[in-house]
Amino acid sequence: MKRLVGLFACVLLWSAPGLAAPLESTRALREGLAAHGRAEALLSWTVPGTSGTATTPMHGTLSLELPALARLDIRGSGEQVTLRADGGEWLQPRLHQMVRLDARRSVAAMGWWRLLVGGEGASERALGSRHWRLTIAATARTDADSADVWLDARGLPSRLEMAAVGGDRTVYRLAGWRFTRAKGVSAFRLVAPSGVEVVEMP
């Protein structure tokens, strides 16, 4: 879960509106969302195995809408994760469980976006052709953080690398970006199906 909310936090950085000095690395996604309302992309990543077992490939669809709505629908497992300013949900069909995030945890998961719209800002540095490093400065309550992003020929994110526990890097790949009309907050709010237990994230 921590890896996924970290991804949401960074992608919401790309889409945050109203920046005094818009970042070049975020421009295409930000403009596409402003013009159409909704962005969707195919997302792939791997989950490390335990005790030396092989990694597991994961695939899903990432959906974004302004001002701060994110959803991930994972293929195969049927898991769904949503984040909003007022909270979020994580549906886990195999466990017959839906975890509910309160506003505090959801907003914390969207830390990059909060920093930008709060005026504390972020910076970018070009590392090569369509390769950028995005950095947020440390504050009294948070450590400095950074992520590397590669853009495709349209200027949209195609690869994201973030620091993971133990010094490793978590790599997410995004493809097939498309922009459509916004569906609104109801599309980013999950309701537990019959027989699924709802629990609060501890």
Side-chain angles (χ1 to χ4, degrees), residues 6-186:
L7 167 70
F8 283 145
C10 198
V11 173
L12 285 165
L13 160 67
W14 292 325
S15 58
L19 302 181
L23 304 179
E24 179 59 28
S25 57
T26 74
R27 180 177 56 81
L29 180 55
R30 189 176 60 250
E31 290 179 353
L33 276 166
H36 300 279
R38 180 182 178 91
E40 296 180 355
L42 302 177
L43 176 68
S44 61
W45 72 103
T46 58
V47 175
T50 57
S51 303
T53 59
T55 59
T56 301
M58 304 290 288
H59 304 276
T61 300
L62 177 68
S63 305
L64 300 170
E65 291 184 18
L66 297 178
L69 300 170
R71 174 171 177 152
L72 178 61
D73 293 271
I74 302 174
R75 296 202 299 272
S77 70
E79 291 176 84
Q80 298 173 324
V81 184
T82 58
L83 288 177
R84 308 174 304 276
D86 66 344
E89 297 85 28
W90 177 19
L91 178 63
Q92 304 169 76
R94 290 178 180 173
L95 299 179
H96 303 285
Q97 176 178 279
M98 187 175 80
V99 178
R100 181 176 290 143
L101 286 72
D102 60 18
R104 178 177 59 86
R105 291 187 181 278
S106 181
V107 169
M110 295 188 289
W112 283 63
W113 176 82
R114 288 192 305 110
L115 286 172
L116 286 178
V117 299
E120 297 174 74
S123 61
E124 67 181 1
R125 178 163 59 97
L127 299 180
S129 176
R130 298 200 290 268
H131 177 192
W132 301 81
R133 176 159 297 161
L134 308 179
T135 304
I136 54 175
T139 69
R141 293 179 295 176
T142 62
D143 295 329
D145 202 0
S146 66
D148 282 13
V149 58
W150 284 258
L151 307 180
D152 63 17
R154 299 165 61 194
L156 296 167
S158 61
R159 176 179 169 187
L160 170 68
E161 288 193 8
M162 302 173 63
V165 177
D168 295 330
R169 304 284 286 179
T170 300
V171 179
Y172 299 94
R173 299 184 184 278
L174 300 110
W177 282 104
R178 69 189 189 106
F179 296 97
T180 61
R181 180 180 300 176
K183 295 183 179 181
V185 69
S186 62

